[in-house]
Amino acid sequence: MSICTKTGDKGTTSLYTSQRVAKNSLRVRAYGTVDEVTSTLGLARAFSEKKEIQDLLLQLEQTNLKLMADLASITDKYYITQDTIDEIEAVINETEAKLPPIKAFIMPGKTKAGAFLDLVRTTVRRAEREVLSLADEEEINPNIKIYLNRLSDLAFLLMRIEDDL
């Protein structure tokens, strides 16, 4: 099958569950922004020199594919579960325990990976806003809102590790 299907030439796209929607719909905007998050996670992974962080970022990219599937589906069967939230919270707690308390405002960008992790954080915040707008209009997996909030927190912590802050 060719990448050039021409099915979106009139401004619509197919959801994962086969419904067609406008390319500028709230749903497409939400999962499109999560797709941007996945790309920024990949950038951070490409520039990280820390194997542990690289592995974690790859895992987060894979989880984001499930998150996008939830957003690109009109269904009540979800991939992002309470277990997903519990897992990221455990990583946050473990990561935060390795860091000293923050004593001043942090300026990201000491390393390329750290700068990209801060871009992850801000892109996740935008994705969160898009998801909240969608949730105001349509039923979505409620775990997505929680997960995105945690993901931005984790990106901040990982930036601090990359930048030794």
Side-chain angles (χ1 to χ4, degrees), residues 29-40 64-65 68 123 127:
R29 289 173 59 165
Y31 74 70
T33 308
V34 172
D35 194 20
E36 292 176 43
V37 171
T38 305
S39 294
T40 58
N64 266 18
L65 295 177
M68 285 191 309
T123 308

Side-chain angles (χ1 to χ4, degrees), residues 105-136:
F105 182 78
I106 293 177
M107 187 62 65
K110 186 175 175 184
T111 65
K112 289 177 185 175
F116 281 123
L117 283 161
D118 198 56
L119 182 60
V120 168
R121 179 188 64 79
T122 60
T123 308
V124 171
R125 289 293 188 204
R126 184 162 41 88
E128 190 175 18
R129 291 188 299 272
E130 295 287 355
V131 165
L132 291 172
S133 293
L134 173 62
D136 284 345

Side-chain angles (χ1 to χ4, degrees), residues 138-151:
E138 298 182 42
E139 188 72 28
I140 66 162
N141 177 355
N143 292 321
I144 290 173
K145 294 185 276 188
I146 299 167
Y147 181 82
L148 287 173
N149 194 23
R150 300 302 181 277
L151 182 56

